């Protein structure tokens, strides 16, 4: 029996060919789809890459403005920044081919139809606002402006015609130095024997060493750019055997940002000392330093030479008012007036009678009062710089002393000098409406004292009992001082280290080491016994209207918001 399979084989061959053709078509479709996806994906990647390059270019434009604004603020302050923002100085600041050939193909815009410009504007209502900071300096307040910086960029030679923008919000901020109960630009040592409570913030740009003899209580935050340690400072000749207790009512944080003056090397103690010195002959080459010198900020410059005392107006009119007629006895120069037991030297003191100065400053008459300077400054004069140019007897030391200072002029008072500064008796305790006591500063005026060192003498201090030795060591009287202090200290060495109630309300700032009053601490019971310390941070200093005249500031340009803006709305 013969069987023929020819017809069946043809059918199977036809089916196989159809299946192969179908698979080939599917493969080609998949390949085409893959190629299409690959091409589209490449386009997307290329577009995204160009977009992010454009974002980076726009950011570069805002950063160039930021850099210029930052330098202007550090060197010359807020007024220069504001004036430049009103003109074209910042608007025309964009990356150019002169910076790098990379920028030759980029076109920048301010988003308002103007090419090769950057948008820079003060946010309305934010100029010189008193602002509580929430940045790395959280807890401090600053006189701050808020600026918007916007830039749009487009690469004119790129594959895609697209633009993109960036906006930064920044705050040029001036932080007054008198916002801490205690601020040290150098290492801070706190080693009280009896219980001590510190109200207000505490900060050191160095380390904080603390070994209290009893209980040391901080009621506010304690920060250090170095470390906070319960140990003696290296080199301290005393070894604490039974240290007391440290109590923190707020945070205590190490490795925090430093706070420095807006001058080159502002956290260097030797450089910081310059702010209490007169400028060099020919002036400063650093405008920021010139702006921070108390000499240049004072309303009245008092110069004392051998046998001559002169007073003239300050740098506002380039000292062009050469004669300021202060009442007789306002300034008195003495030779070897009293003995400083720590310095082991007689003090050639210049006494400033604050009460006589107040009577003159509050009098608007051009004949008997401060009328001429009132017209010049638009307010009564409220700051004095004392320049001592006398030739001193061997073995003696310079000094400026404030006496009769219970009530200050209506505009407050700052007194600065390169010399050691002394305060005798109550200072700034009352005004025309009443008297403050304890930690109440309702009836005080804005006040600060700046010098090589600051010493408080009670009202019971008697010059005649301390003329050439430690005298009779007369008991002190209770004394109240309401003022910010800015002065130096004597650094601890391996051989030495740096009563009645002393009521103090203010802010203690140490920026440098003393260069004149350099006597070492030799312990209590010789020329000094520790008073009962009733010390409080003066919360008036958290009000910008109550800051002492001429208060130095730390300057920072703080970054706030950063975000992309999409395409240029005018393109």
């Amino acid at each position: 029996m013969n069987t023929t399979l020819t017809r069946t084989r043809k059918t199977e061959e036809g089916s196989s060919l159809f299946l192969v053709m179908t698979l080939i078509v599917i493969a080609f479709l998949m390949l085409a789809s893959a190629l299409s996806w690959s091409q589209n994906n490449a386009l997307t990647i290329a577009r995204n890459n160009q977009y992010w390059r454009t974002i980076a270019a726009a950011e570069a434009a805002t950063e160039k403005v930021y850099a210029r604004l930052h330098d202007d603020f550090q060197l010359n302050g807020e007024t220069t920044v504001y004036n430049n923002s009103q003109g074209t100085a910042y608007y025309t600041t964009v990356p150019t081919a002169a910076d790098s050939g990379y920028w030759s193909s980029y076109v920048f815009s301010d988003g308002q139809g103007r090419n090769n410009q950057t948008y820079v504007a003060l946010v309305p209502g934010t100029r010189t606002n008193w602002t509580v900071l929430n940045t790395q300096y959280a807890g401090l307040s600053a006189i701050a402006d808020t600026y918007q910086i916007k830039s749009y960029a487009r690469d004119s030679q790129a594959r895609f015609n697209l633009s993109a923008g960036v906006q930064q919000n920044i705050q040029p901020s001036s932080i007054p130095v008198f916002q801490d109960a205690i601020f040290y630009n150098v290492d801070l040592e706190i080693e009280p024997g009896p219980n001590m409570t510190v109200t207000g913030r505490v900060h050191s740009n160095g380390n904080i060493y603390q070994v209290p003899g009893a209980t040391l209580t901080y009621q506010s935050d304690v920060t250090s750019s170095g470390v906070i340690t319960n140990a003696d400072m290296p080199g301290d000749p005393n070894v604490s055997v039974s240290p007391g207790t440290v109590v923190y009512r707020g945070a205590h944080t190490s490795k925090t940002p430093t706070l420095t003056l807006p001058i080159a090397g502002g956290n260097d103690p030797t450089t910081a000392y310059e702010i209490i010195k007169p400028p060099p002959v020919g002036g400063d080459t650093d405008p920021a330093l010139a702006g921070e010198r108390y000499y240049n900020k004072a309303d009245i410059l008092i110069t004392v030479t051998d046998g001559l005392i002169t007073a003239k107006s300050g740098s506002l009119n380039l000292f062009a008012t050469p004669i300021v007629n202060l009442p007789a006895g306002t300034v008195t120069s003495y030779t070897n007036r009293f003995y400083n037991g720590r310095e082991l030297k007689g003090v050639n003191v210049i006494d400033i009678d604050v009460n006589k100065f107040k009577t003159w400053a509050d009098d608007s008459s051009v004949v008997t009062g401060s009328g001429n300077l009132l017209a010049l400054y638009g307010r009564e004069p409220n700051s004095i710089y004392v320049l001592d140019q006398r030739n001193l007897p061997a073995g003696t030391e310079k000094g400026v002393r404030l006496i009769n200072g219970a009530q200050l002029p209506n505009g407050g008072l700052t007194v600065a000098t390169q010399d050691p500064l002394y305060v005798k008796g109550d200072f700034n305790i009352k005004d025309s409406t009443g008297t403050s006591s304890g930690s109440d500063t309702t009836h005080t005026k804005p006040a600060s004292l700046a010098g090589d060192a600051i010493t408080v003498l009670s009202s019971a201090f008697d010059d005649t009992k301390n003329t050439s030795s430690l005298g009779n060591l007369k008991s002190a009287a209770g004394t109240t001082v309401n003022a910010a202090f800015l002065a130096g200290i004597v650094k601890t060495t391996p051989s030495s280290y740096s009563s009645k109630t002393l009521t103090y309300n203010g802010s203690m700032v140490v920026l440098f080491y003393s260069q004149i009053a350099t006597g070492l601490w030799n312990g209590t019971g010789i020329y000094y016994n520790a008073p009962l310390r009733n010390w409080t941070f003066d919360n008036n200093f958290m009000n910008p209207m109550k800051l002492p005249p001429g208060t130095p500031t730390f300057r920072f340009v703080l970054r706030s918001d950063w975000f992309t803006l999409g395409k240029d709305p005018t393109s």
Side-chain angles (χ1 to χ4, degrees):
M1 177 177 170
N2 293 328
T3 302
T4 303
L5 300 175
T6 303
R7 182 175 244 177
T8 303
R9 188 182 301 116
K10 289 182 179 179
T11 301
E12 290 177 352
E13 289 176 354
S15 299
S16 298
L17 180 60
F18 178 76
L19 179 59
V20 170
M21 293 297 295
T22 301
L23 292 174
I24 291 173
V25 170
I26 292 173
F28 272 110
L29 289 174
M30 292 177 64
L31 178 60
S33 177
L35 290 173
S36 176
W37 176 86
S38 178
Q39 184 178 24
N40 290 336
N41 190 56
L43 288 173
T44 300
I45 292 174
R47 185 178 180 87
N48 283 342
N49 288 340
Q50 182 180 329
Y51 171 78
W52 288 113
R53 287 196 302 271
T54 307
I55 287 290
E59 181 181 25
T62 63
E63 284 294 316
K64 189 171 182 179
V65 172
Y66 171 89
R68 180 169 181 181
L69 187 152
H70 177 276
D71 290 347
D72 287 344
F73 184 61
Q74 291 293 331
L75 290 174
N76 300 301
E78 184 275 337
T79 300
T80 296
V81 171
Y82 177 75
N83 290 340
N84 283 347
S85 73
Q86 301 302 299
T88 61
Y90 297 149
Y91 293 172
T92 56
T93 301
V94 296
T96 66
D99 300 321
S100 168
Y102 178 83
W103 303 116
S104 59
S105 64
Y106 277 95
V107 177
F108 295 94
S109 167
D110 63 358
Q112 298 186 357
R114 293 182 288 266
N115 286 339
N116 297 318
Q117 290 196 14
T118 302
Y119 178 86
V120 182
L122 176 73
V123 175
T126 66
R127 189 181 183 199
T128 61
N129 280 355
W130 186 245
T131 303
V132 178
L133 302 177
N134 58 4
T135 61
Q136 65 266 41
Y137 303 108
L140 296 175
S141 295
I143 300 170
D145 302 346
T146 301
Y147 286 89
Q148 289 183 347
I149 306 175
K150 292 190 288 188
S151 176
Y152 293 87
R154 179 175 60 85
D155 189 344
S156 62
Q157 297 179 11
R159 181 176 183 180
F160 304 99
N161 183 25
L162 61 82
S163 63
V166 165
Q167 175 175 323
Q168 291 197 54
N169 293 343
I170 63 170
Q171 285 185 312
S173 302
S174 299
I175 304 174
V177 300
F178 300 130
Q179 287 198 52
D180 295 311
I182 302 172
F183 176 91
Y184 269 51
N185 186 43
V186 296
D187 287 341
L188 168 61
E189 299 173 76
I190 304 183
E191 299 187 1
N195 292 337
M196 181 176 180
T197 299
V198 180
T199 70
R201 295 170 58 93
V202 174
H203 176 80
S204 169
N205 277 344
N207 303 307
I208 297 179
Y209 299 96
Q210 47 194 12
V211 187
T215 300
L216 171 62
T217 302
Y218 296 106
Q219 291 190 341
S220 299
D221 293 352
V222 180
T223 55
S224 169
S225 300
V227 296
I228 303 172
T229 179
N230 295 343
D232 293 308
M233 181 176 181
D236 191 331
N238 289 337
V239 178
S240 301
V241 178
S242 56
T245 303
V246 178
V247 177
Y248 298 100
R249 302 295 186 194
H252 56 288
T253 310
S254 300
K255 303 299 182 181
T256 59
T258 59
L259 289 161
T260 60
L261 295 174
I263 58 180
N267 61 343
D268 175 71
T270 302
T271 302
Y273 190 85
E274 288 291 320
I275 73 170
I276 65 167
K277 293 174 62 176
V281 176
D284 287 299
T285 57
D286 179 2
L289 175 56
E292 289 297 333
R293 288 191 190 273
Y294 277 99
Y295 181 98
N296 293 331
K297 292 190 285 188
D299 293 338
I300 299 174
L301 172 62
I302 296 173
T303 303
V304 181
T305 59
D306 294 326
L308 183 64
I309 298 172
T310 60
K312 60 183 178 181
S313 64
S315 64
L316 180 64
N317 70 336
L318 302 178
F319 311 100
T321 306
I323 299 176
V324 175
N325 291 313
L326 298 175
T330 301
V331 184
T332 308
S333 174
Y334 295 98
T335 300
N336 205 15
R337 182 66 175 178
F338 61 85
Y339 187 78
N340 185 320
R342 177 165 175 170
E343 296 298 303
L344 302 178
K345 294 178 180 178
V347 180
N348 300 278
V349 74
I350 300 168
D351 275 349
I352 308 291
D353 190 318
V354 176
N355 187 58
K356 290 182 178 180
F357 180 80
K358 168 191 159 40
T359 300
W360 173 84
D362 291 344
D363 182 357
S364 61
S365 168
V366 297
V367 178
T368 60
S370 63
N372 287 336
L373 293 188
L374 180 64
L376 173 63
Y377 298 125
R379 53 169 173 76
E380 67 177 66
N382 58 24
S383 55
I384 299 171
Y385 186 89
V386 182
L387 179 61
D388 189 348
Q389 295 182 330
R390 298 172 297 171
N391 294 306
L392 302 184
T396 63
E397 191 170 85
K398 295 180 179 180
V400 174
R401 180 169 60 175
L402 306 179
I403 61 174
N404 301 325
Q407 187 171 355
L408 303 187
N410 292 329
L413 181 64
T414 286
V415 178
T417 179
Q418 185 182 354
D419 296 346
L421 188 59
Y422 298 82
V423 184
K424 181 180 177 180
D426 292 337
F427 186 83
N428 191 24
I429 65 170
K430 61 183 179 179
D431 60 13
S432 59
T433 65
T435 301
S436 293
S437 62
S439 60
D440 173 31
T441 55
T442 303
H443 299 287
T444 66
K445 297 295 183 180
S448 65
L449 308 175
D452 178 81
I454 296 176
T455 302
V456 177
L457 306 172
S458 86
S459 58
F461 186 86
D462 187 345
D463 292 357
T464 65
K465 303 296 184 182
N466 295 275
T467 56
S468 59
S469 67
L470 292 177
N472 63 1
L473 294 177
K474 184 176 180 180
S475 296
T479 304
T480 298
V481 176
N482 297 312
F485 287 173
L486 189 151
I489 60 167
V490 179
K491 190 174 184 179
T492 290
T493 71
S495 61
S496 192
Y497 65 96
S498 177
S499 73
K500 294 293 183 178
T501 300
L502 172 62
T503 300
Y504 173 77
N505 298 293
S507 171
M508 296 184 180
V509 173
V510 171
L511 296 180
F512 42 77
Y513 296 113
S514 301
Q515 297 185 16
I516 298 176
T518 56
L520 295 172
W521 175 254
N522 291 309
T524 58
I526 302 175
Y527 51 84
Y528 168 85
N529 283 313
L532 298 176
R533 298 183 180 98
N534 183 13
W535 294 354
T536 306
F537 172 69
D538 190 348
N539 283 306
N540 281 330
F541 297 157
M542 300 306 294
N543 180 341
M545 303 304 296
K546 295 183 178 180
L547 284 168
T551 295
T553 59
F554 308 117
R555 293 180 193 163
F556 300 93
V557 180
L558 304 177
R559 298 180 187 269
S560 179
D561 301 313
W562 185 101
F563 45 88
T564 59
L565 296 173
K567 63 175 293 188
D568 184 348
T570 63
S571 63

